[in-house]
Amino acid sequence: MYVSTIDNSVLESLPRVELRGQINLVTTKHQVQKAAEYLSQQKILGFDTETKPRFSSGKMHMPALLQLSTDTRSYLIHLKKTGLPGELLSILSNPDIIKAGAAVRDDILGLQRYASFDPAGFVDLQELAQEYGIIEKSVKKLSAIVLGKKVSKSQQITNWEAFPLSDAQARYAATDAYVCYCIYRELMEHSEEKKSPRQRMYEEVLAGATALMQDEPDIVANMANVSALIKDVFKFWWVGFYRVDNASRELVLGPFQGPIACTRISYGRGVCGTSWKNRKTIIVPDVEKFSGHIACSSRSRSEIVVPLFDRQETVRALLDIDSDKLNTFDQMDRKYLEELAGLFKNIY
Ligand code: SME
């Protein structure tokens, strides 16, 4: 199972990705043919493009480079010299050749400025990684999480229309596509791990809550059932809601499951009052380290608080979950619980 996020300090300590295989520069018609002969025989290609950075507002440059890589060869196609001829278009529209990249939509739009084609066989690693519970989006972080290796981004903002490219640029561009190839392969090999038991539990809760709330507009009834549902599936120490009372500018205890709790919390106080004030989810790995934490129970060790918004984006209530263990909640909990909180928007 992969972690959902990774800290920059951890990322920096990882070994670098070593590009294996040769880098082939493609600038002539003949080289395009040679490249296409090889590339069209592959089942999986790492895919990326590079575009000269735009330093002032104005029209985006056209992509300068198209990179397609396997584990043994990387082709750097200099689009300004080759254009996008038929041999390459048939690879880009072949559904049987997987082209794996990050945020491929933007690359495809750039390429379509050279020639129109129907893109097929593209896989967006950002979306694929999500199915494994990874919420990071950048290739740098995906590489760190999936491969345990770091990629350098030092050449990212350089002039990709330069010719010839510097060795550092060529290596960077090839590595970017190569890494996408490796990430895709790695994820496919672990496809049985796509969802963790915890993700499945959250999906059960979300499906249950959606069904419960579908025909029931009463907020309190829904809060009661949703807290029971979460408690039942996860066995957390305390699960419940606090509702905003505008008259007193306090949170008032709502439906909950668990031991008795504080009845009222002032705006800006404790984890709940802070989440209300900041309009943001708060994850507290260790309640003793959160200054101002309100201890309703001495058994509570870690906590997550998620705001519930109405359609005008006003905070109307908070979902508070306490655990009797340290470090219980992470970004995955945030993602699912925010989705759950979003269900209430329809009935506020
Ligand atoms: N710990 C919360 C108070 C609510 S109870 O944990 C149920 C807080 O600091 O806001």
Side-chain angles (χ1 to χ4, degrees):
M1 182 53 198
Y2 302 104
V3 293
S4 57
T5 57
I6 191 161
D7 206 66
N8 279 330
S9 57
V10 178
L11 189 149
E12 286 311 324
S13 68
L14 297 173
R16 270 183 198 289
V17 170
E18 288 301 330
L19 177 68
R20 290 173 217 279
Q22 36 165 275
I23 300 177
N24 301 281
L25 303 181
V26 178
T27 58
T28 66
K29 222 173 150 63
H30 178 68
Q31 287 168 337
V32 168
Q33 275 167 7
K34 281 282 175 211
E37 265 170 37
Y38 172 80
L39 294 167
S40 60
Q41 299 305 310
Q42 307 306 312
K43 290 256 165 287
I44 301 165
L45 297 170
F47 162 87
D48 193 18
T49 66
E50 302 298 343
T51 304
K52 183 179 174 176
R54 186 180 52 162
F55 289 110
S56 56
S57 58
K59 218 164 180 272
M60 272 281 284
H61 292 286
M62 299 206 1
L65 214 58
L66 162 63
Q67 306 103 276
L68 294 167
S69 279
T70 63
D71 50 350
T72 52
R73 288 194 207 182
S74 293
Y75 286 91
L76 306 186
I77 299 154
H78 285 65
L79 296 166
K80 297 270 163 178
K81 297 205 177 283
T82 61
L84 209 45
E87 299 97 310
L88 295 177
L89 293 178
S90 61
I91 293 169
L92 298 175
S93 47
N94 186 338
D96 298 324
I97 305 175
I98 297 289
K99 277 84 51 186
V104 292
R105 201 178 149 269
D106 295 339
D107 299 272
I108 293 169
L109 287 173
L111 291 173
Q112 283 171 329
R113 291 171 65 189
Y114 282 95
S116 73
F117 62 95
D118 284 329
F122 283 89
V123 171
D124 196 328
L125 293 175
Q126 296 183 336
E127 287 167 19
L128 184 64
Q130 261 196 355
E131 295 174 22
Y132 292 75
I134 303 171
I135 61 170
E136 294 290 357
K137 300 272 181 236
S138 67
V139 170
K140 194 171 175 162
K141 292 222 163 166
L142 291 177
S143 164
I145 291 171
V146 178
L147 305 174
K149 298 200 174 144
K150 71 172 170 192
V151 279
S152 159
K153 285 280 160 193
S154 61
Q155 298 296 313
Q156 192 170 24
I157 305 188
T158 57
N159 180 9
W160 293 104
E161 291 182 11
F163 186 82
L165 293 173
S166 68
D167 284 350
Q169 281 180 307
R171 185 153 280 275
Y172 167 87
T175 305
D176 247 15
Y178 167 71
V179 157
C180 289
Y181 173 91
C182 297
I183 294 171
Y184 179 78
R185 289 287 301 264
E186 179 70 23
L187 288 177
M188 284 299 108
E189 273 171 32
H190 291 85
S191 54
E192 76 287 356
E193 291 172 27
K194 261 190 186 174
K195 280 183 190 142
S196 66
R198 198 170 171 95
Q199 280 178 293
R200 293 210 179 89
M201 285 154 87
Y202 269 119
E203 282 177 9
E204 185 187 332
V205 166
L206 274 171
T210 308
L212 282 166
M213 291 168 71
Q214 206 157 32
D215 300 314
E216 180 49 69
D218 189 90
I219 304 268
V220 171
N222 286 322
M223 286 179 169
N225 266 339
V226 167
S227 49
L229 182 60
I230 300 173
K231 174 84 173 168
D232 188 39
V233 172
F234 286 97
K235 318 285 180 221
F236 290 131
W237 174 248
W238 195 93
V239 181
F241 292 87
Y242 279 91
R243 301 204 295 156
V244 168
D245 178 46
N246 284 319
S248 62
R249 212 164 158 69
E250 285 175 336
L251 295 169
V252 184
L253 183 62
F256 71 94
Q257 296 277 318
I260 56 165
C262 324
T263 319
R264 285 180 180 262
I265 298 173
S266 302
Y267 180 77
R269 286 214 46 229
V271 187
C272 293
T274 309
S275 170
W276 176 20
K277 185 176 170 190
N278 297 350
R279 303 164 47 80
K280 283 202 173 85
T281 297
I282 300 182
I283 295 171
V284 183
D286 179 350
V287 295
E288 284 181 20
K289 297 201 174 120
F290 188 97
S291 102
H293 167 259
I294 301 166
C296 293
S297 155
S298 58
R299 290 278 300 271
S300 172
R301 310 285 306 277
S302 59
E303 178 166 2
I304 184 167
V305 176
V306 181
L308 272 59
F309 297 94
D310 63 16
R311 283 181 236 202
Q312 283 74 47
E313 298 299 331
T314 304
V315 177
R316 300 293 297 272
L318 298 153
L319 167 60
D320 179 10
I321 304 181
D322 288 28
S323 163
D324 56 358
K325 296 176 190 66
L326 290 172
N327 286 316
T328 300
F329 306 101
D330 66 13
Q331 298 303 327
M332 197 224 285
D333 300 85
R334 173 204 294 265
K335 172 180 167 264
Y336 282 108
L337 293 173
E338 285 181 354
E339 204 174 318
L340 181 68
L343 298 178
F344 282 86
K345 202 171 251 183
N346 303 326
I347 51 173
Y348 265 118

